[in-house]
Amino acid sequence: MTIFLMAAIMILIIGVQAFVPFLVKKTEVFGVYVPQEYTQKKTLELLKKRYATMVVLAGIVAAAIYAILLSVTEATEEAAAFWGLGLQLALILFSMALYLINHLKVKNEKQQEGWTVGKKEKVVVDLQFRNDLEMVSGIAFLLPMLITAGLIFYTISQYGSLPHQIPVHWGPGGTPDRFTDKTAFSSISLLLVLLMMQALFYFLNQARKTSGAKIMASQKQRSRERELASRKYGSWLLFITTVSATLLLGSFQLSIIHPELGSALWNMALIIGFLILVLGGTALYTFKVVKSGLAAAEQQQQPGIIDADRDEHWKAGIFYVNKEDPSVMVDKRFGVGWTVNFGNPKSWLYVLLPFVVLLAIALLI
């Protein structure tokens, strides 16, 4: 089962990383803004195709290495998971290196050919946008948090009957493989991690709801539809992930209190179900966002008018830093989903707070 999971995740990584250049907006090529009139340049299309080809070939090599390692050794589940994670990380690092190389190539070509020289930037403000949002209500995100709070109180009430060794990690096979001594804190540590995740997803959803829409002057209707779809289906993806994590970790917590409820087969089924829901939701989100706006009519671009460049606010085309933008969350320029505005002090809470909480829990248990 571990091998199956590692293989499935590897295929997903290859697919997403290889085709990202074709999934993002046409005016954003390897993290660089490209005016509409230059998006069909053959050099840019060639860079995208070469990137996709090299990532796929790297994925094939990684899969072959994984298969050879498993065939020549009697690998345990832990070893198979370790090799799989290592190869997945290598694929991500390889694709990131390729991205940075292509980012610099596009940036240099843009500067040398003067794609924005003499052009007037136009910013579009849509006052009706927030009224048309169809996102999951914040109240819906609070319900799983109430369930977690209830489990915390229930665990405390059953503290005397808990085992002396508390599981803190479950392997791919669904069996606990790491334990810690029972304390009042360790008995609810898993639920505290879950509560932190739920709170983070709640605030991410709220941040997306209040962040400004980046609507293109050259493709108002298409970009508007894409922005609405990104927030709608992104909100549902966050909610599905929240509910799935609550079911998974909540079930693990109940198995600590009532061991008869937590068979290895049941736990493994929960893990697989969680991955299917999250990965399937991510794939559906990507499909819906890419598909959105395609049916909208594309307007004729005004001569000498381009969209707001904003390249100076995108460091390496990945990190968005804009102190004048009140938005906390923005769509990525390369990749699926969103990133934070590092120029907004509020954004650092989303980056640092989860890390601090997880580190504190790890040190205390």
Side-chain angles (χ1 to χ4, degrees):
M1 185 54 64
T2 300
I3 298 173
F4 169 77
L5 292 176
M6 291 298 106
I9 295 173
M10 191 177 297
I11 291 173
L12 179 68
I13 290 175
I14 295 170
V16 171
Q17 293 295 329
F19 296 103
V20 160
F22 305 98
L23 299 178
V24 298
K25 298 175 184 176
K26 290 184 177 180
T27 54
E28 294 173 356
V29 182
F30 292 107
V32 178
Y33 167 68
V34 177
Q36 187 70 30
E37 60 186 292
Y38 297 103
T39 55
Q40 301 299 324
K41 284 179 65 70
K42 291 184 178 180
T43 54
L44 299 181
E45 293 299 319
L46 184 60
L47 286 178
K48 293 179 183 179
K49 291 178 181 178
R50 285 179 177 173
Y51 172 88
T53 300
M54 293 183 71
V55 172
V56 170
L57 290 176
I60 294 174
V61 172
I65 293 174
Y66 193 49
I68 292 172
L69 287 172
L70 294 175
S71 62
V72 300
T73 62
E74 296 181 0
T76 62
E77 281 194 353
E78 290 74 13
F82 177 77
W83 292 336
L85 290 173
L87 288 169
Q88 291 164 17
L89 178 60
L91 278 175
I92 293 174
L93 292 176
F94 176 76
S95 63
M96 287 180 63
L98 276 182
Y99 160 80
L100 289 173
I101 293 172
N102 286 294
H103 171 79
L104 293 175
K105 288 182 178 179
V106 176
K107 187 176 181 179
N108 290 335
E109 184 174 352
K110 177 182 177 179
Q111 292 176 344
Q112 291 174 3
E113 298 187 6
W115 293 348
T116 59
V117 174
K119 304 292 178 63
K120 183 179 180 180
E121 296 184 15
K122 185 176 181 180
V123 178
V124 177
V125 178
D126 189 339
L127 300 178
Q128 182 64 27
F129 182 80
R130 289 187 183 177
N131 295 330
D132 294 337
L133 287 174
E134 298 177 0
M135 299 177 65
V136 179
S137 169
I139 296 176
F141 281 86
L142 295 178
L143 295 177
M145 297 172 69
L146 291 176
I147 293 174
T148 303
L151 284 173
I152 290 175
F153 286 114
Y154 181 65
T155 301
I156 294 173
S157 70
Q158 300 295 314
Y159 183 76
S161 62
L162 296 179
H164 294 295
Q165 291 289 307
I166 302 294
V168 293
H169 187 270
W170 283 256
T175 56
D177 56 9
R178 193 179 306 161
F179 299 83
T180 188
D181 294 334
K182 182 177 76 170
T183 64
F185 183 81
S186 66
S187 65
I188 61 172
S189 60
L190 187 65
L191 294 176
L192 293 177
V193 172
L194 175 59
L195 193 61
M196 184 273 296
M197 291 173 55
Q198 293 167 336
L200 176 63
F201 290 157
Y202 167 80
F203 286 111
L204 286 176
N205 187 65
Q206 295 302 109
R208 285 292 289 166
K209 187 178 296 186
T210 57
S211 293
K214 303 299 187 290
I215 298 177
M216 300 165 57
S218 58
Q219 294 182 320
K220 292 181 182 178
Q221 191 59 30
R222 285 192 177 185
S223 59
R224 188 179 194 275
E225 293 296 329
R226 186 180 179 114
E227 283 276 341
L228 288 171
S230 175
R231 298 178 194 226
K232 175 182 177 180
Y233 295 107
S235 179
W236 276 104
L237 176 59
L238 285 174
F239 183 67
I240 290 172
T241 304
T242 300
V243 172
S244 301
T246 303
L247 291 173
L248 177 65
L249 299 185
S251 179
F252 283 172
Q253 183 69 21
L254 286 174
S255 71
I256 296 175
I257 305 171
H258 304 287
E260 67 275 8
L261 298 178
S263 67
L265 183 61
W266 171 248
N267 289 339
M268 184 172 63
L270 285 173
I271 294 172
I272 295 174
F274 173 79
L275 290 174
I276 290 175
L277 284 173
V278 174
L279 297 180
T282 302
L284 180 61
Y285 163 79
T286 303
F287 173 76
K288 288 291 187 179
V289 172
V290 173
K291 182 182 177 182
S292 65
L294 292 181
E298 183 176 343
Q299 65 192 84
Q300 186 68 32
Q301 185 178 10
Q302 300 177 18
I305 301 295
I306 61 173
D307 301 307
D309 192 320
R310 295 194 178 94
D311 274 3
E312 71 274 14
H313 298 302
W314 284 93
K315 310 307 178 184
I318 301 175
F319 304 104
Y320 183 65
V321 184
N322 187 353
K323 295 180 180 180
E324 298 178 357
D325 188 348
S327 297
V328 174
M329 306 292 298
V330 295
D331 286 316
K332 291 181 178 179
R333 273 200 171 185
F334 190 81
V336 178
W338 331 282
T339 185
V340 299
N341 176 12
F342 288 96
N344 188 329
K346 294 180 181 178
S347 301
W348 287 97
L349 292 175
Y350 296 88
V351 177
L352 296 179
L353 188 58
F355 174 77
V356 172
V357 172
L358 290 175
L359 180 61
I361 292 175
L363 293 175
L364 290 172
I365 60 175

